[in-house]
Coordinates of all heavy atoms in Angstrom, one line a residue:
M4 N 0.9 -1.2 0.0 CA 0.0 0.0 0.0 C 0.9 1.2 0.0 O 1.8 1.4 0.8 CB -0.9 0.0 1.2 CG -1.7 1.3 1.3 SD -2.5 1.6 2.9 CE -3.4 0.2 3.2
P5 N 0.7 2.2 -0.9 CA 1.5 3.4 -1.0 C 1.2 4.2 0.3 O 0.1 4.2 0.9 CB 1.0 4.1 -2.2 CG -0.2 3.5 -2.6 CD -0.3 2.1 -2.0
A6 N 2.2 5.1 0.6 CA 2.0 6.0 1.7 C 1.0 7.0 1.3 O 0.7 7.3 0.1 CB 3.3 6.6 2.1
R7 N 0.4 7.7 2.3 CA -0.5 8.8 2.0 C -0.2 10.0 2.8 O 0.4 9.9 3.9 CB -2.0 8.3 2.4 CG -2.4 7.2 1.6 CD -3.8 6.7 1.8 NE -4.5 7.3 2.9 CZ -5.6 6.8 3.5 NH1 -6.1 5.8 3.1 NH2 -6.1 7.4 4.5
R8 N -0.5 11.1 2.3 CA -0.3 12.4 3.0 C -1.4 12.6 4.1 O -2.5 12.1 3.9 CB -0.3 13.6 2.1 CG 0.8 13.6 1.2 CD 0.8 14.9 0.3 NE 2.0 15.0 -0.5 CZ 2.1 14.6 -1.7 NH1 1.1 14.0 -2.3 NH2 3.2 14.7 -2.4
I9 N -1.0 13.2 5.2 CA -2.0 13.5 6.2 C -2.9 14.6 5.6 O -2.5 15.6 5.1 CB -1.3 14.1 7.5 CG1 -0.4 13.0 8.1 CG2 -2.3 14.6 8.5 CD1 0.5 13.5 9.2
E10 N -4.2 14.4 5.8 CA -5.2 15.3 5.1 C -5.8 16.3 6.0 O -6.2 17.4 5.6 CB -6.3 14.5 4.5 CG -5.9 13.5 3.4 CD -5.3 14.2 2.2 OE1 -5.6 15.4 2.0 OE2 -4.4 13.6 1.5
H11 N -5.8 16.1 7.3 CA -6.5 16.9 8.3 C -5.6 17.9 8.9 O -4.5 17.6 9.3 CB -7.3 16.1 9.3 CG -8.2 15.2 8.8 ND1 -9.5 15.6 8.3 CD2 -8.2 13.8 8.6 CE1 -10.1 14.5 7.9 NE2 -9.4 13.4 8.0
D12 N -6.1 19.2 9.0 CA -5.4 20.2 9.8 C -3.9 20.4 9.3 O -3.0 20.6 10.1 CB -5.4 19.9 11.3 CG -6.8 19.8 11.8 OD1 -7.6 20.6 11.3 OD2 -7.0 19.0 12.8
M13 N -3.7 20.3 8.0 CA -2.4 20.5 7.5 C -2.3 21.8 6.7 O -3.2 22.1 5.9 CB -2.0 19.3 6.6 CG -1.7 18.1 7.3 SD -0.2 18.2 8.3 CE 1.0 18.5 7.2
V14 N -1.3 22.5 6.9 CA -1.0 23.7 6.0 C 0.1 23.3 5.1 O 1.2 23.0 5.5 CB -0.6 24.9 6.8 CG1 -0.3 26.1 5.9 CG2 -1.8 25.3 7.8
R15 N -0.2 23.2 3.8 CA 0.9 22.8 2.8 C 1.4 24.0 2.0 O 0.7 25.0 1.9 CB 0.2 21.8 1.8 CG -0.2 20.5 2.5 CD -0.4 19.5 1.4 NE -1.1 18.4 2.0 CZ -0.6 17.5 2.8 NH1 0.6 17.6 3.2 NH2 -1.3 16.5 3.3
G16 N 2.6 23.8 1.5 CA 3.1 24.7 0.6 C 2.4 24.6 -0.8 O 1.5 23.8 -1.0
A17 N 2.9 25.3 -1.7 CA 2.3 25.3 -3.1 C 2.5 24.0 -3.7 O 3.6 23.4 -3.5 CB 2.9 26.4 -3.9
P18 N 1.5 23.5 -4.5 CA 1.8 22.3 -5.3 C 2.8 22.5 -6.4 O 2.8 23.5 -7.0 CB 0.4 21.9 -5.8 CG -0.4 23.2 -5.8 CD 0.2 24.0 -4.7
V19 N 3.7 21.5 -6.5 CA 4.7 21.6 -7.6 C 4.8 20.2 -8.2 O 4.2 19.2 -7.7 CB 6.0 22.0 -7.0 CG1 6.0 23.5 -6.6 CG2 6.5 21.1 -6.0
Q20 N 5.5 20.1 -9.2 CA 5.9 18.8 -9.8 C 7.4 18.7 -9.9 O 8.1 19.6 -10.2 CB 5.2 18.6 -11.2 CG 3.7 18.4 -11.1 CD 3.2 17.9 -12.4 OE1 3.6 18.3 -13.5 NE2 2.2 17.0 -12.4
I21 N 7.9 17.5 -9.5 CA 9.3 17.2 -9.7 C 9.4 16.1 -10.8 O 8.4 15.4 -11.0 CB 10.0 16.8 -8.4 CG1 9.3 15.5 -7.8 CG2 9.9 17.9 -7.4 CD1 10.1 15.0 -6.6
Q22 N 10.6 16.0 -11.4 CA 10.8 15.0 -12.4 C 11.6 13.8 -11.7 O 12.7 14.1 -11.2 CB 11.5 15.6 -13.6 CG 11.4 14.7 -14.8 CD 12.0 15.4 -16.0 OE1 13.2 15.2 -16.2 NE2 11.3 16.2 -16.6
V23 N 11.0 12.6 -11.8 CA 11.7 11.5 -11.2 C 11.9 10.4 -12.2 O 10.9 9.9 -12.7 CB 10.9 10.9 -10.0 CG1 11.6 9.7 -9.4 CG2 10.6 12.0 -9.0
D24 N 13.1 10.1 -12.6 CA 13.4 9.2 -13.6 C 12.6 9.5 -14.9 O 12.1 8.6 -15.5 CB 13.2 7.7 -13.1 CG 14.1 7.4 -11.9 OD1 15.2 7.9 -11.9 OD2 13.7 6.6 -11.1
G25 N 12.5 10.7 -15.2 CA 11.8 11.1 -16.4 C 10.3 11.3 -16.3 O 9.6 11.7 -17.2
E26 N 9.7 10.9 -15.1 CA 8.3 11.0 -14.9 C 7.9 12.1 -14.0 O 8.7 12.4 -13.0 CB 7.7 9.7 -14.4 CG 7.9 8.5 -15.3 CD 7.3 7.3 -14.7 OE1 6.7 7.3 -13.7 OE2 7.5 6.2 -15.3
R27 N 6.8 12.8 -14.2 CA 6.4 13.9 -13.3 C 5.7 13.3 -12.0 O 4.9 12.4 -12.1 CB 5.4 14.8 -14.0 CG 6.0 15.5 -15.1 CD 5.2 16.7 -15.5 NE 5.9 17.6 -16.5 CZ 6.8 18.5 -16.2 NH1 7.0 18.7 -14.9 NH2 7.3 19.2 -17.1
V28 N 6.1 13.8 -10.9 CA 5.6 13.4 -9.6 C 5.1 14.6 -8.9 O 5.8 15.6 -8.8 CB 6.6 12.7 -8.8 CG1 6.2 12.4 -7.3 CG2 7.0 11.3 -9.4
D29 N 3.8 14.5 -8.4 CA 3.3 15.7 -7.6 C 3.9 15.8 -6.2 O 4.2 14.8 -5.6 CB 1.8 15.4 -7.4 CG 1.0 15.5 -8.7 OD1 1.4 16.3 -9.6 OD2 0.0 14.8 -8.9
A30 N 4.1 17.0 -5.8 CA 4.7 17.3 -4.5 C 4.2 18.6 -4.0 O 3.5 19.3 -4.7 CB 6.2 17.3 -4.6
F31 N 4.6 19.0 -2.8 CA 4.2 20.3 -2.2 C 5.5 20.9 -1.6 O 6.3 20.2 -1.0 CB 3.2 20.1 -1.1 CG 1.9 19.7 -1.5 CD1 1.5 18.3 -1.6 CD2 0.9 20.6 -1.9 CE1 0.3 17.9 -2.0 CE2 -0.3 20.2 -2.4 CZ -0.6 18.8 -2.4
L32 N 5.7 22.2 -1.9 CA 6.8 22.9 -1.2 C 6.7 22.7 0.3 O 5.7 22.7 0.8 CB 6.8 24.4 -1.6 CG 7.0 24.7 -3.1 CD1 6.9 26.2 -3.3 CD2 8.3 24.1 -3.6
G33 N 7.9 22.4 0.9 CA 7.9 22.2 2.3 C 8.0 20.8 2.7 O 8.3 20.4 3.8
E34 N 7.7 19.9 1.8 CA 7.9 18.4 2.1 C 9.2 18.0 1.5 O 9.8 18.6 0.7 CB 6.7 17.6 1.6 CG 6.6 17.4 0.2 CD 5.3 16.6 -0.2 OE1 4.5 16.3 0.7 OE2 5.2 16.3 -1.4
T35 N 9.7 16.8 2.0 CA 10.9 16.3 1.5 C 10.7 15.5 0.3 O 9.6 15.1 -0.1 CB 11.6 15.4 2.6 OG1 10.7 14.2 2.8 CG2 11.8 16.1 3.9
V36 N 11.8 15.3 -0.5 CA 11.7 14.5 -1.7 C 11.3 13.1 -1.3 O 10.5 12.4 -2.0 CB 13.1 14.4 -2.4 CG1 13.1 13.5 -3.5 CG2 13.5 15.8 -2.8
A37 N 11.8 12.6 -0.1 CA 11.4 11.2 0.3 C 9.9 11.1 0.5 O 9.2 10.1 0.1 CB 12.1 10.9 1.6
A38 N 9.2 12.1 1.1 CA 7.8 12.1 1.3 C 7.1 12.1 -0.1 O 6.1 11.3 -0.3 CB 7.4 13.4 2.1
A39 N 7.5 12.9 -1.0 CA 6.9 12.9 -2.3 C 7.0 11.5 -3.0 O 6.1 11.0 -3.7 CB 7.5 14.0 -3.2
L40 N 8.2 10.9 -2.9 CA 8.5 9.6 -3.5 C 7.7 8.5 -2.9 O 7.1 7.6 -3.6 CB 10.0 9.3 -3.5 CG 10.8 10.2 -4.4 CD1 12.3 9.9 -4.2 CD2 10.4 10.2 -5.8
L41 N 7.5 8.5 -1.6 CA 6.8 7.5 -0.9 C 5.3 7.6 -1.3 O 4.7 6.6 -1.5 CB 6.9 7.6 0.6 CG 8.3 7.2 1.2 CD1 8.4 7.6 2.7 CD2 8.6 5.8 0.9
V42 N 4.8 8.8 -1.3 CA 3.4 8.9 -1.7 C 3.2 8.5 -3.2 O 2.1 7.9 -3.5 CB 2.9 10.4 -1.6 CG1 1.5 10.6 -2.2 CG2 2.9 10.8 -0.1
A43 N 4.2 8.7 -4.0 CA 4.1 8.2 -5.4 C 4.3 6.7 -5.6 O 4.3 6.2 -6.7 CB 5.1 9.0 -6.2
G44 N 4.6 6.0 -4.4 CA 4.7 4.6 -4.5 C 6.1 4.1 -4.9 O 6.3 3.0 -5.2
R45 N 7.1 5.1 -4.8 CA 8.4 4.7 -5.2 C 9.2 4.4 -3.9 O 9.7 5.3 -3.2 CB 9.1 5.8 -5.9 CG 8.5 6.1 -7.3 CD 9.0 7.3 -7.9 NE 8.6 7.4 -9.3 CZ 9.3 7.0 -10.3 NH1 10.4 6.4 -10.2 NH2 8.8 7.2 -11.6
L46 N 9.3 3.1 -3.6 CA 9.9 2.7 -2.3 C 11.4 2.4 -2.5 O 12.2 2.6 -1.5 CB 9.2 1.5 -1.8 CG 7.7 1.6 -1.6 CD1 7.1 0.4 -0.9 CD2 7.3 2.9 -0.7
T47 N 11.8 1.9 -3.6 CA 13.2 1.6 -3.9 C 13.9 2.9 -4.5 O 13.5 3.3 -5.6 CB 13.4 0.4 -4.8 OG1 12.8 -0.7 -4.2 CG2 14.8 0.2 -5.1
L48 N 14.8 3.5 -3.7 CA 15.4 4.7 -4.2 C 16.9 4.4 -4.7 O 17.4 5.2 -5.4 CB 15.5 5.7 -3.0 CG 14.1 6.0 -2.4 CD1 14.3 7.1 -1.4 CD2 13.1 6.4 -3.5
R49 N 17.4 3.3 -4.3 CA 18.7 2.9 -4.8 C 18.9 1.4 -4.6 O 18.1 0.8 -4.0 CB 19.9 3.7 -4.1 CG 20.1 3.3 -2.7 CD 21.3 4.0 -2.1 NE 21.6 3.5 -0.7 CZ 22.4 2.5 -0.5 NH1 23.0 1.9 -1.4 NH2 22.6 2.1 0.8
R50 N 20.0 0.9 -5.2 CA 20.3 -0.5 -5.0 C 21.8 -0.6 -4.6 O 22.6 0.2 -5.0 CB 20.1 -1.3 -6.3 CG 18.6 -1.4 -6.6 CD 18.3 -2.4 -7.7 NE 16.9 -2.5 -7.9 CZ 16.1 -3.3 -7.3 NH1 16.6 -4.2 -6.4 NH2 14.8 -3.3 -7.6
T51 N 22.1 -1.6 -3.8 CA 23.4 -1.8 -3.3 C 24.3 -2.1 -4.6 O 23.8 -2.7 -5.5 CB 23.6 -2.9 -2.3 OG1 23.1 -4.1 -2.8 CG2 22.8 -2.5 -1.0
V52 N 25.6 -1.7 -4.5 CA 26.4 -1.9 -5.7 C 26.7 -3.3 -6.0 O 26.5 -3.8 -7.1 CB 27.8 -1.1 -5.4 CG1 28.8 -1.4 -6.5 CG2 27.5 0.4 -5.3
R53 N 27.1 -4.1 -5.0 CA 27.5 -5.5 -5.3 C 26.3 -6.4 -5.5 O 26.3 -7.1 -6.5 CB 28.3 -6.0 -4.1 CG 29.2 -7.1 -4.5 CD 30.4 -7.3 -3.5 NE 29.9 -7.2 -2.1 CZ 29.9 -8.3 -1.4 NH1 30.2 -9.4 -1.8 NH2 29.5 -8.1 -0.1
R54 N 25.3 -6.4 -4.7 CA 24.3 -7.4 -4.8 C 23.0 -6.8 -5.3 O 22.0 -7.6 -5.4 CB 24.0 -8.0 -3.4 CG 25.2 -8.8 -2.9 CD 24.8 -9.4 -1.6 NE 25.6 -10.6 -1.4 CZ 25.6 -11.3 -0.3 NH1 24.8 -10.9 0.7 NH2 26.3 -12.4 -0.2
Q55 N 22.9 -5.5 -5.6 CA 21.8 -4.9 -6.2 C 20.5 -5.1 -5.3 O 19.4 -5.2 -5.8 CB 21.5 -5.5 -7.6 CG 22.6 -5.1 -8.6 CD 22.7 -3.6 -8.8 OE1 21.7 -3.0 -9.2 NE2 23.8 -3.1 -8.5
R56 N 20.7 -5.0 -4.0 CA 19.6 -5.1 -3.1 C 18.9 -3.8 -3.0 O 19.6 -2.7 -2.9 CB 20.1 -5.6 -1.7 CG 20.6 -7.0 -1.8 CD 20.4 -7.7 -0.5 NE 20.6 -9.2 -0.7 CZ 21.3 -9.9 0.1 NH1 21.7 -9.4 1.2 NH2 21.4 -11.2 -0.2
P57 N 17.6 -3.8 -2.9 CA 16.9 -2.5 -2.9 C 17.0 -1.8 -1.5 O 17.0 -2.4 -0.5 CB 15.4 -2.9 -3.1 CG 15.3 -4.3 -2.6 CD 16.7 -4.9 -2.9
R58 N 17.1 -0.5 -1.6 CA 17.2 0.4 -0.4 C 16.2 1.5 -0.6 O 16.0 2.0 -1.7 CB 18.6 0.9 -0.2 CG 19.6 -0.2 0.2 CD 19.4 -0.8 1.5 NE 20.4 -1.8 1.9 CZ 20.2 -3.1 1.8 NH1 19.1 -3.6 1.3 NH2 21.1 -3.9 2.2
G59 N 15.7 2.0 0.5 CA 14.8 3.1 0.5 C 14.9 3.9 1.8 O 15.9 3.8 2.5
V60 N 13.8 4.6 2.2 CA 13.8 5.4 3.4 C 13.9 4.4 4.6 O 13.0 3.5 4.7 CB 12.6 6.2 3.5 CG1 12.5 6.9 4.8 CG2 12.5 7.2 2.3
F61 N 14.9 4.5 5.4 CA 15.1 3.7 6.6 C 15.0 4.5 7.9 O 14.1 4.4 8.6 CB 16.4 2.9 6.5 CG 16.6 2.0 7.6 CD1 15.8 0.9 7.8 CD2 17.6 2.2 8.5 CE1 16.0 0.0 8.9 CE2 17.8 1.3 9.6 CZ 17.0 0.2 9.8
C62 N 16.0 5.4 8.1 CA 16.0 6.2 9.3 C 15.0 7.4 9.2 O 14.5 7.8 10.2 CB 17.4 6.6 9.7 SG 18.1 7.9 8.7
G63 N 15.0 7.9 8.0 CA 14.1 9.1 7.8 C 14.6 10.4 8.4 O 13.9 11.4 8.5
M64 N 15.9 10.4 8.9 CA 16.4 11.6 9.5 C 17.9 11.9 9.1 O 18.6 12.5 9.9 CB 16.3 11.5 11.0 CG 16.9 10.3 11.7 SD 16.5 10.3 13.4 CE 17.4 8.9 13.9
G65 N 18.3 11.4 8.0 CA 19.6 11.8 7.4 C 20.8 11.0 7.9 O 21.9 11.5 7.7
L66 N 20.6 9.9 8.6 CA 21.8 9.2 9.2 C 22.3 8.0 8.4 O 23.5 7.7 8.3 CB 21.4 8.7 10.6 CG 21.1 9.8 11.6 CD1 20.7 9.2 12.9 CD2 22.3 10.8 11.8
C67 N 21.4 7.3 7.7 CA 21.8 6.0 7.2 C 22.2 6.0 5.7 O 22.9 5.1 5.2 CB 20.7 5.0 7.3 SG 19.3 5.3 6.3
F68 N 21.8 7.0 5.0 CA 22.1 7.2 3.5 C 21.4 6.1 2.7 O 21.8 5.9 1.5 CB 23.6 7.2 3.2 CG 24.2 8.6 3.4 CD1 24.5 9.1 4.7 CD2 24.5 9.3 2.3 CE1 25.0 10.3 4.8 CE2 25.1 10.6 2.5 CZ 25.3 11.1 3.8
D69 N 20.5 5.3 3.2 CA 19.8 4.4 2.4 C 18.9 5.1 1.4 O 18.4 4.4 0.4 CB 18.9 3.4 3.3 CG 19.7 2.2 3.7 OD1 20.9 2.1 3.3 OD2 19.2 1.4 4.4
C70 N 18.6 6.3 1.5 CA 17.7 7.0 0.6 C 18.5 7.9 -0.4 O 17.9 8.8 -1.0 CB 16.7 7.9 1.4 SG 17.6 9.3 2.3
A71 N 19.7 7.6 -0.6 CA 20.6 8.4 -1.5 C 20.0 8.3 -2.9 O 19.7 7.3 -3.4 CB 22.0 7.9 -1.5
I72 N 19.9 9.5 -3.5 CA 19.4 9.7 -4.9 C 20.3 10.7 -5.6 O 21.2 11.2 -5.0 CB 18.0 10.2 -4.9 CG1 17.9 11.5 -4.0 CG2 17.0 9.2 -4.4 CD1 16.5 12.2 -4.1
V73 N 20.0 10.9 -6.8 CA 20.8 11.9 -7.6 C 19.8 13.1 -7.8 O 18.7 12.9 -8.3 CB 21.2 11.3 -9.0 CG1 21.9 12.4 -9.8 CG2 22.2 10.1 -8.8
V74 N 20.2 14.3 -7.5 CA 19.4 15.5 -7.7 C 20.1 16.4 -8.6 O 21.2 16.9 -8.3 CB 19.0 16.1 -6.4 CG1 18.2 17.4 -6.6 CG2 18.2 15.2 -5.5
D75 N 19.5 16.7 -9.7 CA 20.1 17.7 -10.7 C 21.5 17.3 -11.0 O 22.4 18.1 -11.1 CB 20.0 19.1 -10.2 CG 18.6 19.6 -10.1 OD1 17.7 19.1 -10.8 OD2 18.3 20.4 -9.2
G76 N 21.8 16.0 -11.1 CA 23.1 15.5 -11.5 C 24.1 15.3 -10.4 O 25.1 14.8 -10.5
Q77 N 23.7 15.7 -9.2 CA 24.6 15.6 -8.0 C 24.2 14.3 -7.2 O 23.1 14.2 -6.7 CB 24.4 16.8 -7.1 CG 25.4 16.8 -6.0 CD 25.4 18.0 -5.1 OE1 24.7 19.0 -5.5 NE2 26.1 18.0 -4.1
P78 N 25.2 13.3 -7.1 CA 24.9 12.1 -6.5 C 24.9 12.2 -4.9 O 25.4 13.2 -4.4 CB 26.0 11.2 -7.0 CG 27.1 12.1 -7.3 CD 26.5 13.4 -7.7
N79 N 24.4 11.1 -4.3 CA 24.4 10.9 -2.9 C 23.7 12.0 -2.1 O 24.1 12.5 -1.0 CB 25.9 10.8 -2.4 CG 26.5 9.6 -3.0 OD1 25.9 8.5 -3.0 ND2 27.8 9.7 -3.4
I80 N 22.6 12.5 -2.6 CA 21.7 13.4 -1.9 C 20.7 12.6 -1.1 O 20.0 11.7 -1.7 CB 21.0 14.3 -2.9 CG1 22.0 15.1 -3.8 CG2 20.0 15.3 -2.2 CD1 22.9 16.0 -3.0
R81 N 20.6 12.9 0.1 CA 19.6 12.1 1.0 C 18.2 12.7 0.8 O 17.9 13.8 1.1 CB 20.0 12.2 2.5 CG 21.3 11.5 2.7 CD 21.9 11.9 4.0 NE 22.3 13.3 4.0 CZ 22.6 14.0 5.0 NH1 22.7 13.5 6.2 NH2 23.0 15.3 4.9
A82 N 17.3 11.8 0.3 CA 16.0 12.2 0.0 C 15.2 12.6 1.2 O 14.3 13.5 1.2 CB 15.2 11.1 -0.8
C83 N 15.5 12.0 2.4 CA 14.7 12.3 3.6 C 15.0 13.6 4.2 O 14.2 14.1 5.1 CB 15.0 11.2 4.6 SG 16.6 11.1 5.3
V84 N 16.1 14.3 3.8 CA 16.4 15.6 4.4 C 16.5 16.7 3.3 O 17.0 17.8 3.6 CB 17.7 15.6 5.3 CG1 17.4 14.7 6.5 CG2 18.9 15.1 4.5
T85 N 16.0 16.4 2.1 CA 16.1 17.3 1.0 C 14.8 17.9 0.7 O 13.9 17.1 0.3 CB 16.8 16.7 -0.2 OG1 18.1 16.2 0.2 CG2 16.9 17.7 -1.4
P86 N 14.5 19.2 0.8 CA 13.2 19.7 0.5 C 13.0 19.7 -1.0 O 13.9 19.9 -1.8 CB 13.3 21.1 1.1 CG 14.6 21.4 1.4 CD 15.4 20.2 1.4
V87 N 11.7 19.6 -1.3 CA 11.3 19.6 -2.7 C 11.4 21.0 -3.3 O 11.2 22.0 -2.6 CB 9.8 19.2 -2.8 CG1 9.2 19.6 -4.1 CG2 9.7 17.7 -2.6
R88 N 11.9 21.1 -4.6 CA 11.8 22.4 -5.4 C 11.1 22.0 -6.6 O 11.2 20.9 -7.1 CB 13.3 22.8 -5.7 CG 14.1 23.4 -4.7 CD 15.4 24.0 -5.3 NE 15.7 23.4 -6.6 CZ 16.6 22.4 -6.7 NH1 17.2 21.9 -5.6 NH2 16.9 21.8 -7.9
G89 N 10.5 23.0 -7.2 CA 9.6 22.8 -8.3 C 10.4 22.3 -9.6 O 9.8 21.6 -10.4
D90 N 11.6 22.8 -9.7 CA 12.3 22.5 -11.0 C 13.3 21.3 -10.8 O 14.2 21.1 -11.6 CB 13.0 23.7 -11.5 CG 14.0 24.2 -10.4 OD1 13.9 23.7 -9.3 OD2 14.9 25.1 -10.7
M91 N 13.1 20.5 -9.8 CA 14.0 19.5 -9.4 C 14.0 18.3 -10.3 O 12.9 17.8 -10.7 CB 13.6 19.1 -8.0 CG 14.5 18.1 -7.3 SD 13.8 18.0 -5.6 CE 15.1 18.9 -4.7
R92 N 15.2 17.7 -10.7 CA 15.3 16.5 -11.5 C 15.9 15.4 -10.6 O 17.0 15.6 -10.1 CB 16.1 16.7 -12.7 CG 15.4 17.3 -13.9 CD 16.3 17.4 -15.1 NE 17.6 17.9 -14.8 CZ 18.7 17.3 -14.8 NH1 18.8 16.0 -15.0 NH2 19.9 17.9 -14.5
V93 N 15.1 14.4 -10.3 CA 15.6 13.3 -9.4 C 15.8 12.0 -10.2 O 15.0 11.7 -11.0 CB 14.5 13.1 -8.3 CG1 14.8 11.9 -7.4 CG2 14.4 14.4 -7.4
E94 N 16.9 11.4 -9.9 CA 17.1 10.0 -10.4 C 17.3 9.1 -9.3 O 18.1 9.3 -8.3 CB 18.4 10.0 -11.3 CG 18.4 10.9 -12.5 CD 19.8 11.0 -13.1 OE1 20.3 9.9 -13.5 OE2 20.3 12.1 -13.1
T95 N 16.5 8.0 -9.3 CA 16.8 6.9 -8.3 C 18.0 6.2 -8.9 O 18.3 6.2 -10.1 CB 15.6 6.0 -8.1 OG1 15.3 5.4 -9.4 CG2 14.4 6.8 -7.6
I96 N 18.7 5.5 -8.0 CA 20.0 4.8 -8.4 C 19.7 3.4 -8.5 O 19.7 2.6 -7.6 CB 21.1 5.1 -7.4 CG1 21.2 6.6 -7.2 CG2 22.4 4.5 -7.8 CD1 22.1 7.0 -6.0
Q97 N 19.5 2.9 -9.8 CA 19.1 1.5 -10.0 C 20.2 0.6 -10.4 O 20.3 -0.5 -10.0 CB 17.9 1.4 -11.0 CG 16.7 2.2 -10.6 CD 16.2 1.6 -9.2 OE1 16.2 0.4 -9.0 NE2 15.7 2.5 -8.4
D98 N 21.1 1.1 -11.2 CA 22.2 0.2 -11.7 C 23.5 1.0 -12.0 O 24.2 0.6 -12.8 CB 21.8 -0.6 -12.9 CG 21.2 0.3 -14.0 OD1 21.4 1.5 -13.9 OD2 20.7 -0.3 -15.0
R99 N 23.7 2.1 -11.3 CA 24.9 2.9 -11.4 C 25.9 2.4 -10.5 O 25.6 2.1 -9.3 CB 24.6 4.3 -11.2 CG 23.7 5.0 -12.2 CD 23.3 6.4 -11.9 NE 24.5 7.2 -11.8 CZ 24.4 8.5 -11.9 NH1 23.3 9.1 -12.1 NH2 25.5 9.3 -11.8
D100 N 27.2 2.3 -10.9 CA 28.2 1.9 -9.9 C 29.2 3.1 -9.7 O 30.2 2.9 -9.0 CB 28.9 0.7 -10.4 CG 29.6 0.9 -11.7 OD1 29.5 2.0 -12.3 OD2 30.1 -0.1 -12.2
D101 N 28.8 4.2 -10.2 CA 29.6 5.4 -10.0 C 29.2 6.3 -8.9 O 29.7 7.4 -8.7 CB 29.8 6.2 -11.3 CG 28.4 6.8 -11.7 OD1 27.4 6.1 -11.4 OD2 28.4 7.8 -12.4
V102 N 28.1 5.9 -8.1 CA 27.6 6.7 -7.0 C 27.6 5.9 -5.8 O 27.6 4.7 -5.8 CB 26.2 7.3 -7.3 CG1 26.3 8.3 -8.4 CG2 25.2 6.2 -7.7
Ligands
FES22 S1 16.5 7.4 5.2 FE1 18.3 7.4 6.4 S2 19.5 9.0 5.5 FE2 17.5 9.1 4.5

């Protein structure tokens, strides 16, 4: 089951769209990239280099790096502590060995 946003008593930022692996994903200013990706049903954000095991949001507070993604060409950005921007290009790391 995909994650859902809290609907009651929430003040959200403006709606925006980010580009994730070439697809548009709805998000709101003020939320993290991880939150937008979880709501979009994207649970695997990278794979381990050697065994290609899936990794995603684990600690949710910037400590484990399991949520590392590429943002605007810059690798190893932690999705759980990175706020959404409207013009953001995100790549999940599926089979790269250079990051
Ligand atoms: S989920 Fe652990 S650093 Fe993002």
Side-chain angles (χ1 to χ4, degrees):
M4 175 194 306
R7 296 185 349 200
R8 290 183 173 93
I9 297 171
E10 299 295 335
H11 300 285
D12 299 326
M13 289 294 297
V14 177
R15 295 195 192 289
V19 294
Q20 287 191 323
I21 61 175
Q22 196 174 93
V23 181
D24 297 331
E26 296 178 9
R27 293 196 174 276
V28 168
D29 293 327
F31 292 91
L32 295 179
E34 69 183 6
T35 64
V36 175
L40 294 177
L41 289 173
V42 170
R45 293 173 173 265
L46 304 183
T47 300
L48 303 185
R49 70 176 184 91
R50 292 190 177 271
T51 59
V52 172
R53 202 160 47 106
R54 294 184 153 173
Q55 295 296 300
R56 293 207 168 140
R58 294 292 184 261
V60 176
F61 181 66
C62 74
M64 57 185 183
L66 297 177
C67 72
F68 277 76
D69 271 357
C70 66
I72 54 174
V73 178
V74 175
D75 296 332
Q77 185 174 355
N79 296 320
I80 302 297
R81 292 165 295 170
C83 69
V84 293
T85 302
V87 161
R88 285 190 335 266
D90 58 348
M91 184 175 253
R92 278 183 311 108
V93 172
E94 297 168 61
T95 58
I96 304 168
Q97 299 302 321
D98 54 8
R99 293 173 61 159
D100 58 5
D101 62 331
V102 291

